[in-house]
Amino acid sequence: MITYRIAHTTEYHYSEPASLSYNEARLLPRSFATPLFAQQVTDHKLEVEPEWRDARGRQDSFGNHVVYFTMRHPHSVMRINVINEVTIEPSLPPADFPGYAAQSPAWEQVRARLAADRAQLPYREFMLDSPLVRLFDDGAAYAVPSFTPGRPILEAAFDLMHRIHTDFAYEPGTTTITTPLPEVYAAKRGVCQDFAQFMLACLRSQGLACRYVSGYIENRPPPGQEKLLGSDASHAWVALYVPERGWIDFDPTNAKIATDQHITLGWGRDFSDVTPLKGIFFGGGKNELSVAVDVRRIDGVPAAAATSTGT
């Protein structure tokens, strides 16, 4: 079992005071279990500066934690500080995943069951186009080499994940949150949100159910180097649904199966369902956004060397 403390600070700086703002935050993680790991939230705290009002919480249609709050007086800076603690207990070592994947059902069998079995109705919304993930011909064609006839579904998804990791370059600043997937595919570059949403389009083109996952990834430094505060960032990956097994998480940005380094905030059809912070403000002139995230183990377990990327 691994315990993480995640500190996430978001700041908005306004060139002129904003008189009023309404905000919606999805920054509190959730407790759940998959076939490969279990995540349990042990503590969380969300603070807003300056004073916030009318704060209330709820769960959205996907079960994610949402906090609404209002700033009713003029402010030039708004700062949201969140500290979360979670424990993650992996149930399958990454080295054992290839054997686990080989025993999964053929992807055509899963597709047929999703289409015909009424018990699978709750998962069908994750098979459809969504605001930021729309099927397109090049994406469907890209998926085909991984989904050969009779191939176990988890082997096919694992192969697709590695191909995206190999073929696409991680280059922050080359895309925005609204860059269409055909443009991402044509440029073969982007960030974790782009790679996750492209993988979603590929999987959905094969008639499969998959969701966008928002969270964090532990960024471990090479041996002998200090971990830099704020070096971690928000991250995104994909979870694929397999009947009788559940949701299996794939990270195409890092070509990793999520087991013990990924901390989940929430999930939805695409990024638009799990935007960490959004809202509207009145006045304020121009604004600048800065985000700092620090993910660190607090249970005394030494961090082995690894390479990971977030955005």
Side-chain angles (χ1 to χ4, degrees):
M1 181 180 296
I2 304 168
T3 302
Y4 290 103
R5 177 178 292 125
I6 308 99
H8 185 142
T9 299
T10 305
E11 290 188 358
Y12 285 93
H13 292 260
Y14 305 104
S15 61
E16 300 175 7
S19 60
L20 175 67
S21 68
Y22 299 97
N23 305 277
E24 178 181 296
R26 286 175 171 82
L27 291 168
L28 303 180
R30 54 192 299 170
S31 299
F32 65 101
T34 78
L36 304 188
F37 68 92
Q39 175 174 298
Q40 180 67 41
V41 180
T42 57
D43 193 16
H44 63 82
K45 180 169 61 175
L46 189 154
E47 297 179 339
V48 180
E49 303 173 15
E51 181 185 2
W52 59 334
R53 297 180 181 177
D54 305 329
R56 60 187 178 89
R58 71 172 181 91
Q59 288 188 342
D60 65 17
S61 61
F62 303 106
N64 302 313
H65 301 295
V66 188
V67 176
Y68 299 94
F69 61 93
T70 305
M71 307 287 286
R72 293 188 176 275
H73 47 272
H75 53 284
S76 298
V77 178
M78 182 174 68
R79 181 179 297 105
I80 300 95
N81 295 311
V82 183
I83 297 179
N84 295 308
E85 290 187 9
V86 302
T87 60
I88 296 180
E89 186 168 5
S91 54
L92 183 77
D96 293 345
F97 183 80
Y100 179 83
Q103 297 174 12
S104 61
W107 69 272
E108 302 98 328
Q109 295 177 5
V110 174
R111 178 178 63 183
R113 185 168 178 186
L114 286 167
D117 185 352
R118 292 181 60 86
Q120 306 306 313
L121 279 173
Y123 306 100
R124 291 184 188 169
E125 68 175 317
F126 296 104
M127 301 166 61
L128 306 175
D129 279 356
S130 57
L132 298 177
V133 179
R134 299 187 177 275
L135 304 189
F136 62 107
D137 291 343
D138 286 341
Y142 185 91
V144 169
S146 295
F147 288 85
T148 53
R151 192 173 195 181
I153 185 172
L154 295 181
E155 280 191 357
F158 190 78
D159 180 72
L160 175 64
M161 174 186 73
H162 276 275
R163 288 174 53 220
I164 294 172
H165 175 73
T166 300
D167 294 343
F168 289 69
Y170 181 84
E171 291 189 14
T174 58
T175 58
T176 70
I177 60 173
T178 58
T179 301
L181 286 179
E183 292 184 18
V184 174
Y185 175 74
K188 298 292 193 301
R189 62 190 71 247
V191 293
C192 61
Q193 172 194 302
D194 303 304
F195 305 152
Q197 293 186 150
F198 178 71
M199 187 170 179
L200 290 176
C202 292
L203 292 170
R204 290 174 186 169
S205 74
Q206 304 304 302
L208 302 174
C210 49
R211 64 193 184 192
Y212 181 99
V213 185
S214 171
Y216 311 100
I217 185 170
E218 181 189 27
N219 207 346
R220 303 180 183 181
Q225 294 187 17
E226 289 291 330
K227 185 177 183 299
L228 299 176
L229 293 175
S231 63
D232 297 310
S234 300
H235 194 50
W237 59 95
V238 171
L240 173 66
Y241 174 70
V242 181
E244 311 302 337
R245 294 204 181 196
W247 296 92
I248 308 296
D249 293 50
F250 296 86
D251 179 357
T253 303
N254 297 288
K256 296 175 72 72
I257 301 298
T259 54
D260 62 351
Q261 284 185 271
H262 293 70
I263 301 104
T264 299
L265 277 174
W267 51 70
R269 298 164 301 165
D270 59 36
F271 173 79
S272 65
D273 288 331
V274 285
T275 307
L277 186 67
K278 59 183 178 181
I280 59 174
F281 64 92
F282 297 87
K286 296 181 179 180
N287 69 88
E288 293 184 1
L289 168 67
S290 63
V291 179
V293 176
D294 181 59
V295 178
R296 58 176 62 224
R297 299 190 183 201
I298 59 173
D299 56 0
V301 177
T307 301
S308 56
T309 308
T311 187

